[in-house]
Amino acid sequence: MAVKKANASADKLSVLLEWFEENKVTFNREAIEIVSYKKTSQSKDKSNIISSNGFGIIARRDLLDDEPLVVIPKTAVLSAATSALATLLCDENIGDTLALHMAIMYEMSQGCQSPWHGYLQSLPDCADVPLLWDAESRKWLQGTDVSKWVERDEVGLKRDFDRLQDVVARNPLVFVSQNGVTWGDFTCFLKVASLASSRAFLVDVHRGSSMVPFADIFNHRTNSENVHIESEEMVCPLCGEAFGCEHINGLEQQEEEEEEADMLLEHDPDHAEDGSDDGSGWEDDSEHDHEDDSDEDEEEDPGEELPLLLDETGNPISDEAHNSQNDSVSDDHDSDDAIEEDEDDDKWVDTLDIVVFKPCKAKREVFNTYGKHGSAALLHRYGFCDTNNPFDSISLDTEHILQAFSKLVSEKRAADIGRIVELYADVLEPRHRAKCNEDENEEENEDEVEEDGSDDESGEENIPMLDDEDEDDGTEDALVAFSIDAPGHPDLNLAALLVLGLAEEDVFAQVSESQSVFMHYFPLMRRY
C-alpha cells in the first residue's frame, strides 16, 4: 500500500512540475526540491521530512537570508476573478469564500480542459479537518473551541450550498456534474471547502482569497518559518494591474483635470462671467485672426538662409515635415523607454516571490507560516496541530468569569463587571500574551530601523506566506472573550479585569463609573 501511494505521489508530482514549466512557475532547483510522500517523519540524518501524505520542500544546500527561491506569476493563481466563472459570479453577485469554492469546483469539473488541471490533480481529495470527521471522531472535541467552530461552519456552509443550488438550477448547461464533481452533493462541496480553507490565502484586492500553486507546498511550523512572500497587494480591483491600466489612468486623468479646473477658478473666479467664454470652452478668435491678417501684409526680414533639407528622393523637406519627423523619432525613443520600463515593472508586479526569511540548513524541510495560531485554530482550519505552540490558549466564556466574581466578591460586583464587558467590548478584544509580546518587539525593531534610516524603500511588502491574519473572518476570535494562554497565564484583558474586579469598592467605582477614567487606566493595567 505504501509503495502504491509513493508511486501515485510521484506521478502527480511529475505532472505538477510539467504544469509549472508551462505556466512559468519557476524555482531554484539548485537550492530546493519538492519531496513526495515519505513513510517516516524523520530520516537517519535527523532531517525533518514530511510526515503526512502529500508534498513538502527540502533544502538541497544551506539557504541564506533574502535568497529568492520561487517566482509565481499571478496568472497562475486560481481565484474567483481568474476562473472561467468570473463573469457569472459577478452577475450572480457571489463573492467571498463561496465564489472561490465554486471556482475550484468548476475548474475541477473541467478535468484536462481546465488551465489549472496540472495543479488541481496534485491536490488531495480533501483536507483532514474536523469538519469532515465522522460522529465518533468528533466526540473527542466535545467541550472545546473547535467543536463550537465546526458547528458554526456547518450552518454557514449549508447556507452557501443552498445558494449554490439556486445558481446551478438557473445554469444547468454550465454546471455539469463530471470528473468527480457532483454539484448537488453536499459532501463534495465540503471537501472543496476544506481544500480552500487549508490552502487559500489573500493575494491582492482583485484576486482576493486564492489558490496559489507551489506556495501551498510549503508546510507550516509555528514561529520557525524559513520563507516569506513579496507581493504587491494594492492593485486595480477591476483588472488586477498595479499601475498603468485604463481604469487607474482614467481616474488619475480625471483628478488632474478637476484640479486644473479648481486652480483656474481660484486664480480667476470671474472667468466664466466676463464674457470671454461662451460656455462652449472655445474663445472668440476673431480679434486674433484680424491681427494675423495684418501681420501677413507686412514684409518680414528673411534673415539668415537655412540649409535646404532633402529626403531620400531628392525632394525638399518642409520645416513642418522635418519637425514632425524629429518629434516622431523622439516619441519612438520615449515610447521604447516607456515600454522597457513597463516590462520591468510588470516582471515585478505580476509575480509572487518567495524568499528566505530565516536560514535553513541543507537536507532540512523548508517551512512556511500560516499565521500566529493556537493548536485549536490550526486543527480547525488546516487539520493538524503543532507541538510546543506558544499561541495555545483555552477560552473562557464571560458567564464563567461573572460566576467567579459573584462567588469571590458579590453579585453586584459581578453585574458591574458584566456591564463593563458589554460596554467596552471593542477594548476587550482578544489579546494573546505571546502575540502581544511579538507585536511589541516588532514595533521596537521598526522604530530602530527608522532611527537608523535603513528602512526599505523598494516598495515591496514582505508578507508572511499564507498568513491570513490580515484577512480576519472572526471564525475563532468571535467566540472567545477571555482565555488562559500558554503556559497557563490569564490573557491580558482577563488579567486587567481581575485586577479591577478585585479592587476595593472606592477604587472600582472611580475607574468603572467614568468612561474617560476607564479608557485611561484599563490599558495601563493591561500592559503592566
Side-chain angles (χ1 to χ4, degrees):
M1 181 64 71
V3 174
K4 289 183 179 180
K5 287 185 178 180
N7 291 336
S9 296
D11 293 340
K12 289 183 177 181
L13 179 56
S14 177
V15 175
L16 179 62
L17 292 174
E18 183 178 347
W19 186 87
F20 284 159
E21 292 184 4
E22 293 174 353
N23 291 272
K24 296 180 173 57
V25 178
T26 60
F27 64 100
N28 189 339
R29 295 174 181 267
E30 179 264 334
I32 58 175
E33 65 176 323
I34 305 175
V35 181
S36 57
Y37 173 79
K38 298 290 183 180
K39 183 177 180 180
T40 58
S41 61
Q42 194 175 58
S43 62
K44 294 180 180 179
D45 60 357
K46 298 182 180 180
S47 61
N48 296 317
I49 303 295
I50 296 80
S51 58
S52 62
N53 191 5
F55 302 121
I57 306 297
I58 300 296
R60 304 187 67 177
R61 57 165 173 76
D62 291 352
L63 304 181
L64 306 177
D65 278 339
D66 298 326
E67 182 178 357
L69 296 179
V70 187
V71 178
I72 307 167
K74 286 189 177 180
T75 53
V77 168
L78 172 55
S79 69
T82 60
S83 168
L85 286 183
T87 302
L88 185 146
L89 293 172
C90 183
D91 293 342
E92 294 284 350
N93 196 27
I94 296 176
D96 301 326
T97 55
L98 176 57
L100 179 60
H101 297 163
M102 291 177 63
I104 297 172
M105 288 186 72
Y106 179 80
E107 297 300 336
M108 284 181 169
S109 72
Q110 298 306 297
C112 298
Q113 301 302 316
S114 170
W116 288 275
H117 172 69
Y119 163 64
L120 293 174
Q121 63 83 36
S122 70
L123 302 180
D125 183 51
C126 62
D128 187 19
V129 293
L131 179 68
L132 298 175
W133 290 4
D134 57 33
E136 189 65 26
S137 298
R138 283 202 197 178
K139 289 181 179 180
W140 292 93
L141 301 176
Q142 289 181 357
T144 67
D145 294 330
V146 180
S147 180
K148 292 183 291 185
W149 299 337
V150 170
E151 289 176 2
R152 196 175 73 165
D153 287 345
E154 287 181 324
V155 174
L157 289 170
K158 184 63 171 64
R159 182 172 58 247
D160 287 347
F161 181 72
D162 291 340
R163 187 178 182 189
L164 168 62
Q165 298 311 300
D166 294 337
V167 178
V168 170
R170 288 193 295 270
N171 303 273
L173 299 180
V174 176
F175 300 99
V176 179
S177 296
Q178 57 186 353
N179 295 314
V181 173
T182 305
W183 291 100
D185 184 5
F186 186 49
T187 301
C188 179
F189 178 73
L190 291 181
K191 288 182 176 180
V192 171
S194 73
L195 292 177
S197 170
S198 60
R199 291 174 177 270
F201 74 103
L202 186 65
V203 172
D204 55 44
V205 295
H206 171 67
R207 295 164 183 85
S209 185
S210 310
M211 303 288 281
V212 182
F214 206 118
D216 54 6
I217 299 179
F218 288 91
N219 291 311
H220 166 87
R221 173 169 286 181
T222 302
N223 268 5
S224 299
E225 73 273 18
N226 304 110
V227 297
H228 278 185
I229 188 171
E230 293 179 355
S231 174
E232 178 61 52
E233 287 189 326
M234 299 310 298
V235 300
C236 175
L238 298 178
C239 67
E241 293 292 333
F243 50 79
C245 75
E246 57 183 359
H247 311 106
I248 296 178
N249 288 343
L251 291 174
E252 291 177 350
Q253 183 178 357
Q254 182 179 354
E255 291 176 356
E256 291 176 359
E257 292 175 353
E258 291 176 353
E259 290 178 0
E260 290 177 359
D262 293 340
M263 291 178 64
L264 287 175
L265 289 176
E266 289 177 2
H267 288 86
D268 188 7
D270 300 327
H271 177 69
E273 303 175 1
D274 61 5
S276 61
D277 192 343
D278 62 359
S280 64
W282 298 96
E283 296 181 358
D284 186 0
D285 294 331
S286 58
E287 295 183 3
H288 297 291
D289 294 339
H290 179 71
E291 291 175 1
D292 292 340
D293 293 338
S294 63
D295 290 338
E296 288 176 4
D297 296 335
E298 297 177 7
E299 245 180 82
E300 291 183 0
D301 183 3
E304 183 181 356
E305 187 176 356
L306 296 176
L308 185 64
L309 300 177
L310 303 177
D311 61 13
E312 295 178 354
T313 62
N315 296 322
I317 300 177
S318 65
D319 289 344
E320 292 181 359
H322 176 63
N323 293 335
S324 176
Q325 271 190 344
N326 288 338
D327 292 341
S328 177
V329 172
S330 176
D331 291 342
D332 288 343
H333 285 301
D334 294 340
S335 178
D336 291 341
D337 293 340
I339 290 174
E340 290 178 2
E341 291 178 3
D342 289 342
E343 288 177 351
D344 291 339
D345 289 334
D346 287 343
K347 291 178 182 177
W348 171 68
V349 171
D350 290 338
T351 61
L352 300 164
D353 304 320
I354 300 177
V355 300
V356 177
F357 172 69
K358 293 178 183 176
C360 180
K361 293 292 185 181
K363 298 183 180 181
R364 297 281 180 175
E365 183 171 1
V366 184
F367 286 103
N368 182 18
T369 177
Y370 300 170
K372 301 173 183 178
H373 302 301
S375 295
L378 290 174
L379 179 62
H380 167 234
R381 181 163 184 176
Y382 304 103
F384 66 87
C385 294
D386 206 355
T387 57
N388 301 321
N389 190 336
F391 304 115
D392 277 342
S393 63
I394 299 174
S395 65
L396 299 175
D397 293 336
T398 304
E399 181 182 354
H400 297 153
I401 306 298
L402 299 183
Q403 289 176 357
F405 278 116
S406 178
K407 291 182 179 181
L408 292 175
V409 186
S410 65
E411 292 185 0
K412 180 180 181 303
R413 179 63 59 87
D416 290 339
I417 292 295
R419 177 181 56 82
I420 291 174
V421 171
E422 182 178 355
L423 184 62
Y424 301 105
D426 294 339
V427 180
L428 295 171
E429 63 182 22
R431 298 175 62 86
H432 193 287
R433 285 176 174 269
K435 292 182 182 179
C436 291
N437 292 337
E438 285 202 355
D439 291 341
E440 290 178 0
N441 292 336
E442 290 176 1
E443 291 177 0
E444 291 177 0
N445 294 335
E446 289 176 0
D447 293 339
E448 291 177 0
V449 170
E450 291 178 359
E451 291 175 1
D452 295 339
S454 59
D455 53 327
D456 183 12
E457 299 178 355
S458 64
E460 295 184 0
E461 182 179 3
N462 293 330
I463 307 169
M465 196 68 234
L466 292 176
D467 186 353
D468 54 72
E469 288 185 335
D470 293 334
E471 188 188 6
D472 182 15
D473 59 4
T475 302
E476 289 84 17
D477 292 344
L479 298 177
V480 178
F482 304 101
S483 63
I484 302 297
D485 299 337
H489 304 297
D491 73 79
L492 299 180
N493 283 324
L494 180 56
L497 198 65
L498 289 173
V499 171
L500 177 62
L502 297 176
E504 297 294 334
E505 184 61 35
D506 56 341
V507 176
F508 177 81
Q510 184 178 2
V511 175
S512 63
E513 293 178 2
S514 170
Q515 181 175 359
S516 60
V517 175
F518 179 87
M519 295 300 293
H520 176 74
Y521 282 103
F522 191 82
L524 295 178
M525 291 187 290
R526 182 170 57 193
R527 182 170 184 177
Y528 297 105

